[in-house]
Amino acid sequence: MTVLRRYLAAASESITAAREPVFDEFAAADGTARQGWSSLLAGLDEFADTDLLQAQHDVVRLLEDDNVTYTPNPASAMSIADEPNGHPHPDMPIPEGLVEPQPWRLDPLPLIIDDREWAGLEAGLVQRAQLLDAIMADLYGARRLLSRHHIPAAAIFDHDEYLRPLVGSGTPTGQRLFLVAADLGRDSSGGWKVISDRTQAPSGAGYAMQNRRVVSRVMPEIYHQANLHRLTPFFQAMRLALVDAAPHAVEDPRVVVLSPGTLSETAFDQAFVASLLGFPLLEGSDLTVRDGRVWMRVLDKLEQVDVILRRVDSGWMDALELRPDSRLGVAGLLACVAGDGQRVEQSRQWRVGESCAYAAATRSVRANARPITATALCRYMVVRRPVSIEPRLEQSGLSGHSADQQGSWPQRPGGSTDEAAARIARGQDQGGAASLCRAGDAAPVVRADERGRSAGSPQRGAPLVRRPQR
Amino acid sequence: MLGGLARVTDDTSDRRGVLVSDPAGQLAKDVWVVGSEPVAAPRIVARARPDDEAVFVPAMSASIAMVPRVLSDLYWFGRYAERAEDLLRLLLATRTVAIEADLEVTHGRALDVMLHAVTHVSTTYPGFLTTQAEMMPEFRSMLLDRHRTGTAAHSLGALSMAAQGVRDQLSEDVWMVLAEIERALATLAANPHDQGIQLTDISERVLSGLLALAGIATENMVRDAGWYMLDSGRGLERALQILALLRATICQTRSPETDRTVLEAVLIAAESIVTFRRRYRAGSGVDALLELLLIDPYNPRSVGFQLQRIRTDLRALPNTSPTARPLRLLDSLAERVRTSDPVVLAESVDGHRSGLQNLLLGLHNQLRALSEAIRDHYQQQPPTQRPMFRPDAVGGTA
C-alpha cells in the first residue's frame, strides 16, 4: 500500500471519528481523493513513494539557481494576538541594520483544486473586487457611504492612508483598482473564506509563477498529465492591461514598475514580475516630476512615463503630500495624478485599497486599466495553512519533515476564520478590522517592506537599496 | 489568475493560531487548478486603440530605458566581479608560493611579500601586516567573511546586491552561476577544520564561476549602454588591481631569489605567466614584466589594454563628446602609460624603485579620478530627497 493510499484510509477514519466537522484538502470523508486530485492520484502516488525526497532537493537547488529570496520583515510576523490595537507589540524587536534575504521555501507537491470549484470561487472574487472598486470610488467621490452612515466617518477620515489630495478627482472610467488579491482560507466545512483583501500593492504573482516553474521541472510527467490552467495568460493580460492604461493618444506607452528597492520584503517578486512583463524596474529616485508629468531619468535626458505599476505603498509614494520622511517615492507624484484625474487612493482600514497602476501622464488620461478578462481581475489566492493535509502528510512521512506531533492534529481553522470573515462581512468591528489587516499582513507574500515600523527606526523611509561603496 | 500562492506551515505548536505563523517557518505551495478536460488557453485580447494597427516599432529607434541607477548598478557589477576574480587569483598565487615556502628559506621572504600584497591590494588592514596573522584563518576570512570590507566574500555579496537591483536587465544564467559560487562557499564554511586543501579547491571553483560570469557578460548581453558601463567598470577595476599589485610587490628590490619568486607569483596572479615565458627569454626581470602588465596594449591583462577598453566603452555610450571629462582623463592616462620606459622604471636606487612607485601611485590616483568622472558624467543620481519640514520625524540616517 502506498503512502497516499494509507493516508486516505487514515484520513477517512479520523474524519468519521472526529466530533467536530473536519475538512481535509486531499481526502474526502469516504476515503477517496477529492475531485481534482483523483485524476492525478496514480501519478502522485508513484511520485510520493519514489521521487519525493529527490524532488525536494531539486526544488531547493532550482530556487537557489534563480536566487529566489524573501526578506523577512519582523513586523510581518505579528499576528492578531500581538496587536489588539493595531500597534506594534512592544516586545517585538526591530532589528538594527538590514535583514538578510532568506531562501524561498517551496514544497514540491502542489495544492490541487478542481476547476469547477474554482469557478465559483473566482466569480466570488471578481464580484468582491468590483465591490471594493465601487467602495473606493465612493470614498473618493460622492462619499454616499459616509453620508448615509454605512461607514462611520471617523473610520475613514482618521485613517492616515486616506489620501485627501485625491478626493474628488474622478476618473473617466471610474475604475480605480487595477490589481486585487485576496487571502483565502477554508472553514471546517470546506467553504472558502476571505481572510483579508489586498488592494494596496499586492505581491505574490511572481512567486506563484516561480513556484510553477520549479514544480513543473521536478515533476514533469504529472505536470503534463494534468489538465492544468496555466499562469502565463495572467501575465499577458496584466501586460496588456498596463499598456491599455496609458492615455490613448500615446502611441508606444512607457510602462515602468516602481519598486521600493532591492532590500524590500518582496524584492524578488517585484523584479521577477517586471522581467515577466518586460517593463523596467525602477526606484523612486529614477523618476522625477516636471511640468505636471512624470519623467524617467534616462542617460542624457528625461523620458516621459505613461503608466506606473506601483509596488511602493501609497503612503510612501510622495514625500511632498504624504509621509515627508519617505524617500521611496517621487515628490510631486500625487499632484500629477490628481491633476490628471488619476486616482491613487486607498483606505486601508476597510481594506479598500487603490489601483496599482495609474497613468501618470497629462492630457486626457484614462486612469486605470480595465481588466481584460475575468482571470485578470481575480488575481491569486493565498491560502494560509488552511490545509489539513500538511501535518498529516508529515505523519505519514510524506513531506520529509520530522513527525514529532504524531497524533496531535492541529485545530481546524474553522472557528477563527469564520469569526474573522463574519467580522469583515458585518464591517462593524473597527478594532477587529484593523487587527485583521494585521493578520493578513503576516502573510509574507503580501506586504511591502516598510509599513508598520516604529517611528524613529533608522530604516524608516530610507531607500531600500544598498549602494556599493568604495 | 487561475492558480495562486499557497502557504502552509508544519509548525503545529504555533501559539499564534492557525491563521498566522512565522514566515520563516512557512512553506509555499503551488496551486494547481485542474479540469477534467484538457484546458484551452484563454484568448487575451487588448482593447483596440484608435489607429492601432500593430505597427512594428523598431527597437533600435526606441530609446533604451537606462536610468542612472541602473547604469551605476551595472558598473559596480563589473567592478565587483573583477575585484573578486583578481583577489582570488592573488590568493591562489600566494598559496602556491606558500606551498613552496616550506622547502627553501628564500621563499619564506617571498611569501611575506605576497602576504603583504594580499593585504595591501584587498585593503583588508591590518591583515598580514601584524606579525601574529596566520595564513589559513586569514585566507578563510577572505573567502567567507562578508562583513569585512575588501574580502572576496564582501565583493561577492556586493556583486549579488548590484545584480539584484538590475535583475530585469540580466540573463537568468547569472543567477545560476552566483548560486554555484554560493554553494561552493557554503561547502567551505561547513568545514571549519580545513587545512587548506579544500580552501584551494573552493577558490578555484569560485574563480571558475566568476569566469563564467565574465563569459555571460560577453556572450549573453546586448551591447547597450548598460553593457558598456559594465565593461568599463570591469576594465577600470582590473587596471586598479594591477597597479595595486605592482605597487605592493616590485617597488622594492630584494635578494635575486626572492625577486624571482615574487615576479613569478605576480605574473601568475595577473594571469600572464604563460605569455611572459613564451615572449621573453629566461631570466627577464622587472622591465619585461612592466612592459607586459603595464604598457602592452595587446595583453588583456595589462593596464594599457584596460585604458583602451574603457575608451571604446565610453565612446559607445550616448552623450559622450570627444572632450568629455572622462575621455580627457583617459587620454592623459594613456599617454602617461604609453610613454613610460620599462627599463628606466626598473632601475633601483638603494633597493627602491622610486620612479616606478611614483608612476604607479600617480596612475592609481588618476584612475580613481576617472572613476569619479564616470560616475559624475553617466551615473549622476538626483540629490537625496529630504523633507523641508518636520526634520524630527526623520530617522537618524536621513
Side-chain angles (χ1 to χ4, degrees):
Chain A
M1 203 159 153
T2 62
V3 182
L4 285 183
R5 302 273 174 205
R6 274 204 306 277
Y7 175 78
L8 280 175
S12 154
E13 269 174 39
S14 70
I15 291 170
T16 321
R19 260 169 284 141
E20 291 178 2
V22 167
F23 185 83
D24 188 300
E25 199 67 49
F26 172 55
D30 58 0
T32 58
R34 286 189 185 278
Q35 269 184 345
W37 294 91
S38 48
S39 60
L40 300 172
L41 193 57
L44 283 174
D45 225 3
E46 197 186 333
F47 176 80
D49 260 3
T50 54
D51 302 329
L52 190 60
L53 270 179
Q54 181 59 38
Q56 280 171 340
H57 289 295
D58 289 348
V59 163
V60 171
R61 185 176 55 80
L62 288 168
L63 289 173
E64 276 176 8
D65 277 353
D66 283 338
N67 194 26
V68 186
T69 55
Y70 162 71
T71 312
N73 176 357
S76 71
M78 291 185 289
S79 73
I80 304 174
D82 292 325
E83 251 191 311
N85 303 318
H87 294 295
H89 195 278
D91 295 339
M92 185 63 68
I94 293 182
E96 295 296 314
L98 298 162
V99 187
E100 292 276 318
Q102 301 295 317
W104 182 250
R105 293 178 64 223
L106 172 69
D107 192 82
L109 280 178
L111 170 67
I112 298 178
I113 297 168
D114 186 66
D115 65 353
R116 278 159 293 183
E117 183 183 3
W118 184 270
L121 186 62
E122 186 178 32
L125 289 171
V126 169
Q127 189 187 43
R128 194 176 180 92
Q130 286 163 345
L131 172 67
L132 291 171
D133 189 47
I135 294 175
M136 281 286 299
D138 185 70
L139 288 180
Y140 284 96
R143 295 194 285 216
R144 283 189 296 268
L145 284 173
L146 302 187
S147 59
R148 294 178 189 169
H149 304 289
H150 294 302
I151 299 175
I156 299 299
F157 293 132
D158 287 353
H159 200 282
D160 54 4
E161 295 195 29
Y162 183 65
L163 309 180
R164 284 157 198 274
L166 293 176
V167 173
S169 51
T171 62
T173 55
Q175 199 200 333
R176 289 150 194 280
L177 290 173
F178 174 75
L179 189 65
V180 179
D183 294 355
L184 303 174
R186 284 209 208 246
D187 61 19
S188 52
S189 67
W192 289 101
K193 300 289 178 194
V194 173
I195 299 162
S196 60
D197 290 302
R198 302 278 155 196
T199 52
Q200 172 67 267
S203 58
Y207 284 122
M209 188 67 196
Q210 181 67 33
N211 287 351
R212 178 63 56 86
R213 281 190 178 184
V214 169
V215 168
S216 67
R217 275 194 61 182
V218 298
M219 38 197 298
E221 292 91 359
I222 301 172
Y223 179 78
H224 285 298
Q225 189 191 339
N227 297 318
L228 184 58
H229 290 272
R230 310 285 150 147
L231 298 182
T232 38
F234 170 82
F235 292 97
Q236 289 164 7
M238 190 166 164
R239 188 187 155 86
L240 286 173
L242 282 166
V243 172
D244 201 38
H248 271 215
V250 180
E251 200 169 273
D252 185 18
R254 162 73 71 203
V255 184
V256 302
V257 179
L258 179 62
S259 152
T262 52
L263 299 178
S264 81
E265 196 172 10
T266 58
F268 168 80
D269 190 66
Q270 294 154 12
F272 191 53
V273 166
S275 66
L276 283 173
L277 296 174
F279 297 135
L281 180 71
L282 300 184
E283 291 165 18
S285 63
D286 301 333
L287 296 172
T288 186
V289 169
R290 300 266 192 288
D291 305 330
R293 299 182 194 176
V294 180
W295 303 84
M296 176 163 76
R297 298 173 204 268
V298 195
L299 201 53
D300 51 345
K301 56 182 186 294
L302 295 177
E303 200 173 283
Q304 191 169 346
V305 172
D306 301 302
V307 180
I308 301 173
L309 175 63
R310 184 173 58 74
R311 294 298 293 267
V312 176
D313 278 3
S314 61
W316 299 84
M317 70 187 172
D318 186 350
L320 219 51
E321 296 275 4
L322 306 167
R323 311 189 68 120
D325 51 342
S326 168
R327 282 151 64 190
L328 301 176
V330 187
L333 184 61
L334 219 55
C336 282
V337 174
D340 300 335
Q342 310 287 326
R343 291 306 176 129
V344 195
E345 60 239 31
Q346 58 139 22
S347 161
R348 181 149 64 99
Q349 190 130 13
W350 286 88
R351 305 307 303 156
V352 182
E354 45 109 352
S355 73
C356 266
Y358 47 85
T362 53
R363 303 178 303 247
S364 59
V365 183
R366 322 243 337 237
N368 298 309
R370 203 164 48 123
I372 293 165
T373 62
T375 49
L377 187 62
C378 147
R379 291 304 112 145
Y380 60 93
M381 36 178 293
V382 179
V383 185
R384 193 174 302 105
R385 202 196 168 211
V387 190
S388 50
I389 190 169
E390 261 309 285
R392 293 202 195 175
L393 283 178
E394 268 171 27
Q395 211 175 26
S396 51
L398 243 183
S399 71
H401 296 288
S402 71
D404 51 3
Q405 59 272 25
Q406 290 266 349
S408 66
W409 293 356
Q411 287 282 304
R412 301 286 162 255
S416 49
T417 318
D418 278 341
E419 206 181 312
R423 270 187 294 173
I424 291 185
R426 287 197 302 273
Q428 62 200 29
D429 178 357
Q430 293 310 309
S435 57
L436 277 168
C437 300
R438 281 296 163 197
D441 287 349
V445 288
V446 186
R447 287 169 28 98
D449 184 50
E450 67 282 3
R451 197 201 304 155
R453 291 224 169 101
S454 76
S457 157
Q459 278 164 277
R460 194 189 203 205
L464 298 171
V465 208
R466 192 188 299 152
R467 289 276 148 256
Q469 298 289 337
R470 188 166 159 192
Chain B
M1 180 184 282
L2 278 162
L5 182 60
R7 298 187 69 79
V8 290
T9 181
D10 34 60
D11 179 9
T12 51
S13 62
D14 194 339
R15 70 168 177 89
R16 296 168 192 278
V18 285
L19 281 180
V20 185
S21 60
D22 184 11
Q26 288 187 350
L27 200 59
K29 264 182 179 288
D30 193 14
V31 177
W32 286 15
V33 179
V34 300
S36 42
E37 309 279 315
V39 177
R43 223 173 120 241
I44 291 164
V45 191
R47 215 166 7 154
R49 293 173 159 269
D51 66 320
D52 187 8
E53 290 164 22
V55 192
F56 169 68
V57 183
M60 303 297 287
S61 68
S63 64
I64 310 144
M66 279 291 169
V67 295
R69 178 189 55 81
V70 169
L71 290 179
S72 168
D73 273 344
L74 286 169
Y75 176 76
W76 283 98
F77 182 86
R79 285 198 62 171
Y80 277 117
E82 182 65 31
R83 191 178 294 178
E85 184 191 323
D86 290 347
L87 181 55
L88 281 167
R89 287 192 187 283
L90 179 57
L91 290 179
L92 286 168
T94 307
R95 168 96 182 128
T96 314
V97 175
I99 291 170
E100 306 290 322
D102 299 337
L103 310 175
E104 295 174 51
V105 186
T106 51
H107 279 86
R109 274 192 254 144
L111 180 61
D112 283 345
V113 174
M114 291 313 289
L115 290 177
H116 284 190
V118 167
T119 302
H120 283 302
V121 171
S122 65
T123 70
T124 49
Y125 299 109
F128 290 111
L129 302 188
T130 56
T131 45
Q132 63 269 40
E134 285 194 45
M135 188 168 125
M136 274 306 139
E138 185 69 11
F139 272 31
R140 213 178 145 77
S141 151
M142 286 282 177
L143 282 174
L144 297 178
D145 195 343
R146 285 204 151 203
H147 301 289
R148 188 172 167 200
T149 308
T151 60
H154 177 261
S155 295
L156 289 168
L159 173 71
S160 178
M161 196 57 92
Q164 193 79 49
V166 290
R167 186 186 263 273
D168 56 333
Q169 308 273 345
L170 295 176
S171 155
E172 291 191 8
D173 293 355
V174 166
W175 301 105
M176 201 166 69
V177 172
L178 288 179
E180 193 49 50
I181 292 176
E182 283 299 315
R183 264 178 227 135
L185 291 177
T187 317
L188 180 62
N191 180 8
H193 306 297
D194 171 51
Q195 295 294 311
I197 298 166
Q198 194 176 27
L199 189 137
T200 313
D201 183 46
I202 295 295
S203 304
E204 279 166 357
R205 266 173 73 189
V206 174
L207 180 62
S208 87
L210 288 165
L211 294 177
L213 213 55
I216 291 169
T218 323
E219 299 296 326
N220 285 13
M221 283 183 70
V222 173
R223 301 304 195 255
D224 58 8
W227 186 85
Y228 288 115
M229 211 73 245
L230 189 157
D231 196 61
S232 66
R234 198 175 251 285
L236 196 132
E237 183 69 31
R238 186 175 295 171
L240 278 173
Q241 295 286 331
I242 297 167
L243 291 175
L245 177 63
L246 295 181
R247 274 171 71 199
T249 48
I250 59 165
C251 282
Q252 290 183 342
T253 54
R254 304 166 192 90
S255 73
E257 298 78 19
T258 307
D259 272 352
R260 174 123 307 273
T261 315
V262 169
L263 189 91
E264 281 211 359
V266 168
L267 283 162
I268 291 171
E271 182 53 22
S272 295
I273 185 79
V274 177
T275 321
F276 187 84
R277 283 186 191 136
R278 208 180 54 213
R279 198 193 277 184
Y280 302 97
R281 61 183 171 75
S284 297
V286 169
D287 41 4
L289 179 137
L290 284 174
E291 187 187 67
L292 186 63
L293 290 187
L294 194 63
I295 303 162
D296 191 339
Y298 302 107
N299 178 13
R301 293 274 157 188
S302 81
V303 175
F305 185 95
Q306 309 314 320
L307 297 177
Q308 276 193 355
R309 169 190 196 174
I310 299 168
R311 188 183 175 78
T312 315
D313 290 336
L314 295 187
R315 290 298 293 267
L317 284 163
N319 194 24
T320 309
S321 78
T323 54
R325 184 171 147 77
L327 285 185
R328 279 185 282 128
L329 285 170
L330 206 49
D331 283 343
S332 82
L333 256 167
E335 184 63 21
R336 200 166 169 187
V337 167
R338 192 169 52 238
T339 53
S340 27
D341 182 349
V343 179
V344 177
L345 289 173
E347 284 167 5
S348 65
V349 180
D350 298 337
H352 287 283
R353 297 193 172 100
S354 50
L356 179 63
Q357 179 129 29
N358 289 339
L359 175 74
L360 294 176
L361 183 62
L363 291 176
H364 178 85
N365 290 339
Q366 276 180 287
L367 270 172
R368 296 289 292 261
L370 174 63
S371 179
E372 276 166 28
I374 290 177
R375 191 193 61 206
D376 292 345
H377 196 88
Y378 300 102
Q379 305 163 10
Q380 191 58 275
Q381 306 262 350
T384 312
Q385 295 177 19
R386 51 177 74 237
M388 295 177 70
F389 50 96
R390 279 181 59 193
D392 53 323
V394 183
T397 55

